[in-house]
């Protein structure tokens, strides 16, 4: 696990409020015993028709090839707890998501995988997605330390759940080692509550 | 200091605070199924870790299991493989597995309460967002991702930020023909799909107090559809009565002392809340969805909304949903043609749901053009229904009576919509493509309303179809 502090990449704007996890990864792709192959199924039903032909979705457009930062609107990732959704996002090559707001379980799953979920004011976010649409090559720099997003000479303030930011900066976003370090306290809690 | 249930259960289960500011929370009960958990065992193996408290995890299969022919190997290779991986992992790690034909298999959120594994005051996790169901017993019950399933297996804990608590009081009396499903759809419609983000919902008020445990589970089940990570009801006599005599609940004096402990978790009368919403029961009508999120809902008496009456993204949201659903602005939702009727799921697949519908189905027939299936939520539900001959009532009316599983709630088993079929569904999600066809359409509703739709072949008012009470 490496600290995640500041990084940049091209952006891609996938428009829509309440984009749910069934849309991000349709249920039929959940049949897998590892997450390795999920990248190509990201947003499958909005990207491809029933014969598997591209419907010209923005994620498949030439200009946005190699984009690393996903931008969307309100309540991104609502619906199921399936980690397949952030896994598909990560395996597709996306490193962060910027949206007006996030659904909670999705946000937590992303954090554990090292995908920062960043929010910013609605106007700023609107401006950022417009910038990306007019200039797909514009680099977006996300600075978790300074809580800023920089794109084409614009500097936007961003918000983040403090515990998530802490975890990215301290490289503890995958909490397992930390959790395991408290095995004595865990055992004591189990005994206290009669959970043996 | 006076506390609400969330605070009491939280405080009891906190192991310590982590450096990130999050808390490490002990998980009393961990439930796993074949879709989101097999990968977690792989992650454990990669790290050379074992399962810390195998006796606190229970497994079942529900999502991919077919509801007609369940004989193994399953026709779908990948589904078969997922079950195999779960069976191997649970055997290796000494985790109890409720296998098909064991008499205890079923949808994870149906199985655990009916066995009495779900008990007041617990923290409960499952790699499934509808884990919120278990809150009905007075638990903090959370849906988690696969990495967290791994965390629970390895440490019996998760890292988490505390939630705020919103009390939702539903006061007064429901009118006839209005059910728990209508109550929760009404709440989500009122507060929005993301209204609950950051909150646990405490459901209270006279309507909740008078509900059965099954009804409370229906309400808590859909908390997540309103954005709330969990929802709960304080435990009371109804809760204890439900648990008494269940397979995994202690008997005699031990039961009495459990009850004493369980009772102590109920919210104190003067507990504080971060927010409170009061809903007048009399205003709740049979409520159904028209769009592609559970908040895009209206009462059966209303017309389909007009996107031109709102601005911005919301406007696009409505018009996109209308395009997808192929519905006409300003038309009554009542009368919309229905192709499929689905009764089941962790929201409404319990014995009481089938009893309620059977009582009105007797002597009536499903319109022949409608494909109607009734899917019990568990083997125990199936058995109890058969003992009462309910399956015959359904079959005589023209429903297929299936074997237990998630079935048409989601598209991971052979039960799927075809093309743009419209399904009257007692499940909990109407997302685009949710029921297995990328163009399939879902209208969420109560079991009574599904039965009415099956009979009429169109969206109908159950109160009229079955002569239930006054319609103004
Ligand atoms: S019935 Fe539906 S919502 Fe419930 S656990 Fe199964 S798939 Fe999930």
């Amino acid at each position: 696990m490496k600290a995640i502090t500041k990084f940049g990449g091209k952006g891609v704007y996938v428009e829509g409020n309440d984009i749910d996890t069934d849309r991000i990864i349709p249920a039929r792709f959940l049949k897998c015993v590892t997450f390795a192959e999920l990248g190509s199924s990201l947003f499958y039903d909005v990207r491809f028709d029933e014969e598997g032909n591209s419907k010209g979705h923005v994620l498949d457009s030439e200009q946005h090839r190699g984009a690393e930062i996903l931008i969307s609107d309100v309540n991104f990732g609502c619906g199921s707890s399936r980690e397949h959704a952030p896994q598909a996002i990560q395996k597709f090559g996306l490193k962060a998501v910027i949206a007006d707001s996030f659904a909670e379980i999705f946000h937590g799953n992303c954090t554990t995988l090292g995908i920062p979920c960043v929010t910013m004011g609605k106007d700023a976010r609107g401006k950022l997605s417009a910038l990306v649409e007019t200039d797909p090559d514009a680099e977006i720099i996300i600075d978790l330390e300074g809580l800023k997003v920089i794109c084409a000479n614009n500097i936007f303030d961003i918000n983040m759940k403090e515990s998530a930011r802490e975890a990215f900066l301290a490289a503890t976003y995958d909490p397992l080692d930390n959790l395991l370090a408290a095995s004595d306290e865990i055992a004591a809690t189990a005994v206290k509550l009669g959970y043996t | 200091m006076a506390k609400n249930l969330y605070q009491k259960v939280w405080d009891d289960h906190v192991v310590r605070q982590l450096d990130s500011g999050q808390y490490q929370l002990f998980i009393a009960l961990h439930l796993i199924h074949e879709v989101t958990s097999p990968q977690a065992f792989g992650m454990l193996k990669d790290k050379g870790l074992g399962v810390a408290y195998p006796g606190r995890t229970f497994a079942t299969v529900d999502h991919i299991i077919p509801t007609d022919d369940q004989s193994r190997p399953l026709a779908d290779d990948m589904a078969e493989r997922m079950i195999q991986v779960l069976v191997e992992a649970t055997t290796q790690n000494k985790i109890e597995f409720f296998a098909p034909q064991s008499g205890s298999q079923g949808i994870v959120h149906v199985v655990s309460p009916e066995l009495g594994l779900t008990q007041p005051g617990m923290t409960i996790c499952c790699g499934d967002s509808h884990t919120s169901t278990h809150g009905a017993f007075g638990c903090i019950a959370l849906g988690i991702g696969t990495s967290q399933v791994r965390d629970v297996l390895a440490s019996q804990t998760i890292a988490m930020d505390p939630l705020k608590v919103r009390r939702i009081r539903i006061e007064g009396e429901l009118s006839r023909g209005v059910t728990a499903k209508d109550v929760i759809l009404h709440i989500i419609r009122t507060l929005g799909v993301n209204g609950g983000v950051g909150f646990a919902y405490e459901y209270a008020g006279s309507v909740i107090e008078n509900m059965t445990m099954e009804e409370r589970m229906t309400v808590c089940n859909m908390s997540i559809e309103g954005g709330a990570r969990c929802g709960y009801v304080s435990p009371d006599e109804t809760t204890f009565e439900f648990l008494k005599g269940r397979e995994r609940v202690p008997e005699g004096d031990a039961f009495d002392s459990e009850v004493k402990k369980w009772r102590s978790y109920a919210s104190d009368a003067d507990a504080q809340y971060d927010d409170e919403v009061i809903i007048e029961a009399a205003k709740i009508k049979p409520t159904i969805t028209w769009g592609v999120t559970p908040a895009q809902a209206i009462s059966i008496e209303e017309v389909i909304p007009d996107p031109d009456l709102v601005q911005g993204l919301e406007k696009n949201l409505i018009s996109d949903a209308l395009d997808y659903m192929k519905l006409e602005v300003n038309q009554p939702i009542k009368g919309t043609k229905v192709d499929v009727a689905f009764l089941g799921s962790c929201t409404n697949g319990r014995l009481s749901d089938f009893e309620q519908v059977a009582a009105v189905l007797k002597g009536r027939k499903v319109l022949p053009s409608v494909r109607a299936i009734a899917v019990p939520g568990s083997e125990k539900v199936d058995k109890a229904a058969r003992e009462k001959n309910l399956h015959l009532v359904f079959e005589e009316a023209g429903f297929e009576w299936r074997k237990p599983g998630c079935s048409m709630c989601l598209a991971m088993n052979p039960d799927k919509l075809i093309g743009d079929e419209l399904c009257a569904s007692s499940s909990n999600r109407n997302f685009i493509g949710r029921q297995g066809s990328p163009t399939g359409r879902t209208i969420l509703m109560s079991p009574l309303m599904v039965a009415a739709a099956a009979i009429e072949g169109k969206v109908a008012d159950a109160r009229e179809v079955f002569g239930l009470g006054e319609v103004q």
Side-chain angles (χ1 to χ4, degrees):
Chain A
M1 200 174 6
K2 276 203 317 230
I4 300 174
T5 51
K6 190 174 177 179
F7 57 98
K10 283 168 47 167
V12 57
Y13 174 47
V14 175
E15 191 195 317
N17 283 357
D18 304 326
I19 291 186
D20 59 73
T21 49
D22 277 76
R23 196 119 32 113
I24 297 172
I25 181 99
R28 59 185 186 282
F29 298 111
L30 309 193
K31 281 191 203 150
C32 57
V33 287
T34 76
F35 295 125
E37 310 294 330
L38 287 179
S40 52
S41 315
L42 179 69
F43 282 109
Y44 192 91
D45 288 340
V46 258
R47 287 169 57 207
F48 303 103
D49 66 15
E50 272 159 76
E51 276 82 53
N53 301 313
S54 169
K55 293 202 261 191
H57 190 266
V58 61
L59 284 172
D60 297 309
S61 72
E62 201 45 53
Q63 307 104 291
H64 288 102
R65 188 170 299 266
E68 291 180 313
I69 291 157
L70 181 66
I71 306 171
S72 193
D73 298 282
V74 177
N75 198 28
F76 188 78
C78 63
S80 111
S81 63
R82 59 184 71 157
E83 192 168 302
H84 305 67
Q87 290 277 2
I89 287 173
Q90 192 167 56
K91 301 280 171 344
F92 185 85
L94 295 158
K95 295 203 167 69
V97 189
I98 301 176
D100 291 346
S101 62
F102 292 92
E104 209 154 311
I105 303 181
F106 176 83
H107 185 289
N109 286 341
C110 283
T111 305
T112 309
L113 296 181
I115 307 169
C117 289
V118 172
T119 59
M120 53 204 279
K122 193 148 188 87
D123 293 344
R125 217 279 299 133
K127 196 165 173 195
L128 182 68
S129 36
L131 275 172
V132 165
E133 282 183 323
T134 43
D135 180 9
D137 287 325
E139 192 187 32
I140 300 175
I141 294 168
I142 301 182
D143 175 4
L144 300 186
E145 221 159 8
L147 280 174
K148 304 261 182 264
V149 159
I150 301 155
C151 180
N153 299 324
N154 295 279
I155 301 179
F156 305 104
D157 288 331
I158 58 172
N159 303 308
M160 266 193 103
K161 206 177 220 177
E162 191 46 38
S163 60
R165 177 171 169 263
E166 275 297 319
F168 288 125
L169 298 180
T172 55
Y173 45 90
D174 181 342
L176 184 53
D177 292 340
N178 242 329
L179 295 176
L180 287 170
S183 57
D184 292 347
E185 287 113 305
I186 297 172
T189 310
V191 170
K192 176 189 85 178
L193 297 171
Y195 295 141
T196 43
Chain B
M1 199 189 78
K3 287 186 190 173
N4 58 45
L5 179 136
Y6 180 86
Q7 294 162 332
K8 292 184 193 185
V9 177
W10 176 271
D11 289 351
D12 257 10
H13 290 78
V14 163
V15 174
R16 61 170 180 155
Q17 189 168 19
L18 299 167
D19 292 340
S20 65
Q22 286 194 307
Y23 290 84
Q24 182 169 4
L25 196 66
F26 189 89
I27 301 308
L29 175 65
H30 183 214
L31 305 166
I32 59 176
H33 62 68
E34 76 284 14
V35 176
T36 54
S37 309
Q39 309 86 348
F41 288 99
M43 295 174 176
L44 279 190
K45 223 185 221 155
D46 290 347
K47 294 197 126 222
L49 294 167
V51 177
Y53 292 80
R56 307 219 68 81
T57 295
F58 297 87
T60 189
V61 279
D62 46 14
H63 286 63
I64 56 172
I65 193 92
T67 61
D68 42 10
D69 181 7
Q70 295 187 337
S71 53
R72 303 276 303 275
L74 299 178
D76 177 342
D77 288 346
M78 201 58 221
E80 175 62 28
R81 174 107 185 86
M82 292 177 82
I83 296 193
Q84 274 175 14
V85 172
L86 188 68
V87 171
E88 279 161 26
T90 49
T91 315
Q92 257 172 30
N93 293 290
K94 304 197 168 52
I95 291 169
E96 190 170 352
F97 173 55
F98 303 124
Q101 280 94 50
S102 67
S104 299
Q105 176 268 343
I107 305 172
V108 61
H109 312 307
V110 177
V111 164
S112 177
E114 74 188 0
L115 285 169
L117 287 169
T118 300
Q119 296 175 6
M122 282 182 160
T123 45
I124 301 181
C125 279
C126 173
D128 193 285
S129 54
H130 294 100
T131 307
S132 58
T133 313
H134 306 264
F137 291 80
C139 304
I140 300 182
L142 306 158
I144 55 176
T146 301
S147 296
Q148 284 180 302
V149 171
R150 174 206 63 180
D151 294 348
V152 180
L153 290 172
S155 74
Q156 205 58 34
T157 63
I158 57 168
M160 195 179 166
D161 292 299
L163 298 166
K164 291 182 284 185
V165 184
R166 171 181 294 142
R167 177 160 65 171
I168 302 177
R169 277 167 50 200
I170 305 126
E171 300 287 2
E173 244 179 274
L174 295 176
S175 9
R176 278 193 79 200
V178 176
T179 66
K181 183 65 160 287
D182 303 303
V183 170
I184 188 61
L185 283 170
H186 181 89
I187 292 173
I188 297 167
R189 172 194 184 181
T190 310
L191 302 177
V193 266
N194 57 358
V197 173
F199 284 98
Y201 280 172
E202 173 172 319
Y203 301 102
S206 56
V207 167
I208 299 292
E209 284 161 20
N210 291 329
M211 278 186 178
T212 63
M213 287 314 293
E214 288 82 355
E215 291 169 321
R216 293 177 187 179
M217 283 190 258
T218 299
V219 171
C220 289
N221 173 273
M222 290 190 70
S223 303
I224 187 69
E225 307 310 331
R229 185 80 185 268
C230 63
Y232 66 84
V233 177
S234 270
D236 61 9
E237 298 314 316
T238 308
T239 322
F240 312 141
E241 204 42 53
F242 179 96
L243 286 169
K244 196 170 185 174
R246 304 241 158 213
E247 235 174 279
R248 306 298 171 104
V249 174
E251 293 170 78
D253 290 348
F255 179 77
D256 296 338
S257 72
E258 287 295 297
V259 168
K260 217 169 132 202
K261 186 180 88 192
W262 293 340
R263 204 188 296 281
S264 71
Y265 282 107
S267 290
D268 296 328
D270 47 353
Q272 299 288 308
Y273 295 88
D274 300 289
D275 190 31
E276 179 159 83
V277 173
I278 299 174
I279 290 178
E280 235 181 285
K283 293 217 169 117
I284 307 176
K285 305 261 165 79
T287 301
I288 68 175
T289 59
W290 58 265
V292 296
T293 76
Q296 289 179 323
I298 51 178
S299 90
I300 184 69
E301 297 165 14
E302 289 172 59
V303 296
I304 291 155
D306 184 348
D308 288 339
L309 299 180
V310 293
Q311 300 295 320
L313 263 186
E314 185 65 24
K315 185 195 191 86
N316 299 351
L317 220 57
I318 296 181
S319 41
D320 289 354
L322 289 177
D323 282 351
Y324 181 82
M325 291 298 291
K326 305 195 166 95
L327 293 175
E328 294 276 336
V329 173
N330 288 327
Q331 292 301 303
I333 188 88
K334 200 162 95 178
T336 307
K337 189 174 164 286
V338 164
D339 308 296
V340 179
F342 169 57
L343 266 179
S345 86
C346 58
T347 319
N348 285 118
R350 297 185 176 79
L351 183 64
S352 57
D353 296 306
F354 298 105
E355 283 177 326
Q356 187 189 37
V357 172
V360 295
L361 265 190
K362 269 205 184 101
R364 294 189 162 91
K365 291 273 181 217
V366 169
L367 200 75
S369 63
V370 176
R371 182 153 58 101
I373 60 171
V375 189
S378 71
E379 291 181 345
K380 283 197 169 32
V381 171
D382 182 42
K383 182 158 178 268
R386 284 175 185 278
E387 277 164 11
K388 298 184 170 201
N389 283 328
L390 298 186
H391 65 303
L392 298 179
V393 177
F394 279 90
E395 284 171 357
E396 265 157 40
F399 271 86
E400 257 185 77
W401 183 266
R402 293 292 190 85
K403 295 196 173 75
C406 295
S407 182
M408 213 183 260
C409 176
L410 97 172
M412 290 200 67
N413 56 69
D415 302 342
K416 290 184 170 86
L417 295 183
I418 302 162
D420 68 354
E421 277 182 331
L422 191 140
C423 180
S425 183
S426 72
S427 57
N428 48 40
R429 283 197 175 135
N430 52 338
F431 297 154
I432 289 174
R434 169 77 178 181
Q435 293 189 291
S437 161
T439 49
R441 298 170 294 157
T442 305
I443 295 189
L444 302 177
M445 55 183 81
S446 73
L448 277 181
M449 295 283 282
V450 171
I455 288 163
E456 299 285 314
K458 54 192 185 199
V459 173
D461 190 333
R463 298 170 302 181
E464 291 167 358
V465 177
F466 303 125
L468 303 169
E470 289 299 297
V471 183
Q472 292 116 17

